[in-house]
Amino acid sequence: MREIDYKDIVNAVENLCISANYYLNSDVVDGLKRFRDREESPIGKDVLDKLLINAELAREKDMPICQDTGMAVVFVELGQDVHIKGGSLHEAIQQGVRQGYKKGYLRNSIVKDPLRRVNTGDNTPAVIHYEVVPGDKLKIIVAPKGFGSENMSALKMLKPSDGEKGVFDFVVRTVDEAGANPCPPMVVGVGIGGTMEKAAYLAKKALLRPVGLSNPDPYYADMEKKLLKEINKLGIGPQGLGGTTTAIAVNIEVFPTHIAGLPVAVNISCHAMRHKETII
Amino acid sequence: MAIRIEAPLTKEKIKDLKAGDSVLISGVVYTARDAAHKKMVEALERGEELPFDMRGQIIYYVGPCPAKPGHVIGSCGPTTSGRMDAYTPVLIEKGLAGMIGKGLRDRTVIESMIQHGAVYFGAIGGAGALIAGTVKSEEIIAYEELGPEAVRKLVVEDFPAVVIIDSQGNNLYEIGKRAYRKV
């Protein structure tokens, strides 16, 4: 049994909230550069240039890449041989988010109730996904999720007979309907299989995979490639102003499912696919 | 080459601007998002005054990050405009001449823009740090209780934007997409 202190978790989450919002990961920056070089639309190229300048400015000046500093989505992998002392893991994460958003001058974007809509004033609560894994480590991933893109996400319970084509068409249609709203170029997370909520979870988790890294299964790697190609033929382009870069990555995650079902979820991220992780 | 324009907008300038024009906006713009729009429209329904005279003005759909010490404002890129659609035509009727945001608008907004003469500008979504550099002053003028959603008066200099929908209803989102669509 290994002990981890409540305070160490608070500090880790605080730092992750700030760094995820200030410093765009290099895989995303490289992806944007790659697509900038082959963007056919002059205005699209200009937008991609400005997005790269923006990311650089945010890094230099220690300020958020985007004013929508998101709802904090936290993925926790808790080793089963870990004992947390000094407080609960759940409260440590919420406290870390509270401190991170305050110290980092990040925007408070959470309302306490979805219909009565009063701002909680400290960006809590975070959405936390827990997984218990073997070992004595604690891995925390913070992925601030902006809602311009979250709002354009979709889920559908397809029929098994809809097959690969059904999934393909649903993903492309969801992106096409999103248009300019989710701040393209997008990163498209796709979850296939499981149950309704599992598919949605997989789609979110798919966004965490670095841009440019394919699914290890060649069948799905091929589908990712074909989807990206098709999506970039839609013409939406950077910021929806027209162009050949509508998405910089399509990441698919899958899970076994029921004989009667084919759930598919599409979680869209903007060009600023933000996430940072640490292992304690 | 970007066209330099002054805010508030004149009737002539509104007519000149065409979908696809790159612009640099200088002058006063007011911020408002969902919650502030709801409050403004409710105020009108009660027969009350709006926080500012809409005539010729530009509303920027943004909820900025808090300013760090020594800074004018935090990151402040545009939010999705479609969420304001339900409230927009009534503000255009009151004289609202320009909107800055990102994303699609519905038919009723576009018709109102054509009827009364208004322009919809797109700013770069997610370029919050870059845009913050163009904001020279910031002052909350209404609904302070809404925090990031309060109505602010901003003075901007060379704020970069593109005309998405002009006062004739031409729409860059449609024109641009058509030009590069291969499906």
Side-chain angles (χ1 to χ4, degrees):
Chain A
M1 186 69 71
R2 179 171 164 251
E3 289 201 326
I4 296 180
D5 201 277
Y6 170 89
K7 284 200 217 83
D8 292 337
I9 300 169
V10 174
N11 289 337
V13 172
E14 176 190 311
N15 290 333
L16 291 172
C17 288
I18 296 172
S19 60
N21 273 296
Y22 287 4
Y23 316 124
L24 196 59
N25 290 344
S26 60
D27 58 294
V28 182
V29 173
D30 292 346
L32 288 170
K33 282 184 184 159
R34 244 185 351 261
F35 278 91
R36 186 241 349 240
D37 293 343
R38 46 178 133 119
E39 173 57 56
E40 290 173 21
S41 145
I43 197 164
K45 225 183 195 19
D46 183 54
V47 166
L48 292 171
D49 271 332
K50 289 207 170 90
L51 291 178
L52 286 161
I53 293 169
N54 182 69
E56 217 174 282
L57 262 178
R59 179 177 295 277
E60 273 170 24
K61 294 191 164 184
D62 290 328
M63 66 191 288
I65 300 155
C66 174
Q67 76 292 334
D68 186 352
T69 49
M71 187 162 202
V73 180
V74 183
F75 292 86
V76 177
E77 287 175 28
L78 175 67
Q80 61 190 20
D81 298 327
V82 170
H83 173 246
I84 315 284
K85 61 168 187 182
S88 83
L89 173 59
H90 188 82
E91 187 40 43
I93 293 169
Q94 303 294 1
Q95 184 59 23
V97 168
R98 206 170 279 132
Q99 288 181 198
Y101 275 70
K102 189 169 168 51
K103 288 191 187 164
Y105 292 86
L106 308 178
R107 195 181 76 182
N108 295 324
S109 309
I110 305 306
V111 289
K112 193 177 174 190
D113 179 280
L115 291 177
R116 288 168 288 188
R117 309 198 75 83
V118 177
N119 199 305
T120 61
D122 60 8
N123 216 58
T124 65
V127 172
I128 309 173
H129 301 291
Y130 294 100
E131 206 178 326
V132 178
V133 299
D136 63 356
K137 301 270 192 290
L138 172 65
K139 180 175 176 182
I140 303 172
I141 305 171
V142 173
K145 189 64 173 75
F147 260 54
S149 55
E150 191 72 358
N151 280 339
M152 304 319 291
S153 304
L155 184 141
K156 196 161 168 76
M157 303 303 282
L158 295 174
K159 290 196 272 293
S161 62
D162 292 325
E164 188 183 322
K165 185 174 187 307
V167 171
F168 195 94
D169 291 348
F170 177 66
V171 175
V172 174
R173 195 165 64 243
T174 301
V175 171
D176 201 17
E177 283 168 6
N181 288 11
C183 292
M186 315 170 202
V187 176
V188 183
V190 181
I192 311 172
T195 47
M196 188 189 81
E197 87 287 2
K198 182 73 177 182
Y201 170 79
L202 290 170
K204 175 75 84 240
K205 203 146 191 207
L207 292 175
L208 301 177
R209 196 197 312 148
V211 168
L213 201 65
S214 305
N215 188 299
D217 180 337
Y219 173 78
Y220 286 106
D222 184 56
M223 194 168 167
E224 289 174 346
K225 221 162 109 187
K226 285 182 180 149
L227 272 168
L228 183 60
K229 205 168 163 196
E230 189 70 11
I231 286 168
N232 284 332
K233 283 186 196 164
L234 291 173
I236 296 167
Q239 291 296 314
L241 305 181
T244 52
T245 313
T246 298
I248 59 168
V250 177
N251 293 349
I252 300 174
E253 292 294 328
V254 298
F255 194 81
T257 191
H258 192 277
I259 48 173
L262 177 52
V264 54
V266 181
N267 194 202
I268 294 179
S269 169
C270 60
H271 54 81
M273 180 48 226
R274 300 163 292 188
H275 57 102
K276 293 283 180 199
E277 61 183 67
T278 193
I279 295 170
I280 303 176
Chain B
M1 196 59 196
I3 305 164
R4 286 205 148 76
I5 58 172
E6 295 288 326
L9 297 167
T10 61
K11 290 252 178 248
E12 295 69 43
K13 185 47 89 182
I14 293 166
K15 273 192 209 131
D16 285 350
L17 293 169
K18 299 284 172 243
D21 286 349
S22 286
V23 296
L24 293 168
I25 303 169
S26 296
V28 171
V29 302
Y30 292 92
T31 75
R33 336 177 354 132
D34 317 40
H37 271 77
K38 186 162 185 277
K39 276 185 178 270
M40 287 195 286
V41 170
E42 283 168 358
L44 282 175
E45 282 165 2
R46 288 192 301 266
E48 293 167 13
E49 289 291 306
L50 291 172
F52 59 95
D53 185 344
M54 288 286 153
R55 282 172 297 180
Q57 299 298 345
I58 295 177
I59 291 183
Y60 179 24
Y61 303 139
V62 60
C65 281
K68 281 187 168 179
H71 289 237
V72 174
I73 199 166
S75 289
C76 55
T79 194
T80 310
S81 311
R83 295 195 318 273
M84 269 52 81
D85 284 353
Y87 309 111
T88 299
V90 60
L91 299 182
I92 292 177
E93 279 165 34
K94 289 280 166 194
L96 178 67
M99 297 150 281
I100 310 172
K102 54 133 176 147
L104 315 167
R105 307 309 303 260
D106 73 12
R107 203 60 236 167
T108 58
V109 172
I110 298 172
E111 277 163 12
S112 180
M113 288 170 59
I114 297 168
Q115 192 186 340
H116 299 278
V119 186
Y120 172 49
F121 301 97
I124 298 180
L130 185 72
I131 292 171
T134 70
V135 178
K136 300 303 158 190
S137 75
E138 182 234 18
E139 179 196 353
I140 293 182
I141 61 154
Y143 314 142
E144 191 164 4
E145 69 280 8
L146 296 178
E149 297 206 59
V151 173
R152 293 166 164 82
K153 181 181 179 180
L154 305 183
V155 174
V156 297
E157 201 178 288
D158 290 342
F159 179 110
V162 177
V163 177
I164 302 286
I165 305 173
D166 62 30
S167 59
Q168 281 83 52
N170 301 303
N171 188 338
L172 179 61
Y173 287 144
E174 288 167 7
I175 302 163
K177 188 164 151 175
R178 217 179 299 130
Y180 291 92
R181 198 168 176 90
K182 291 167 199 146
V183 288

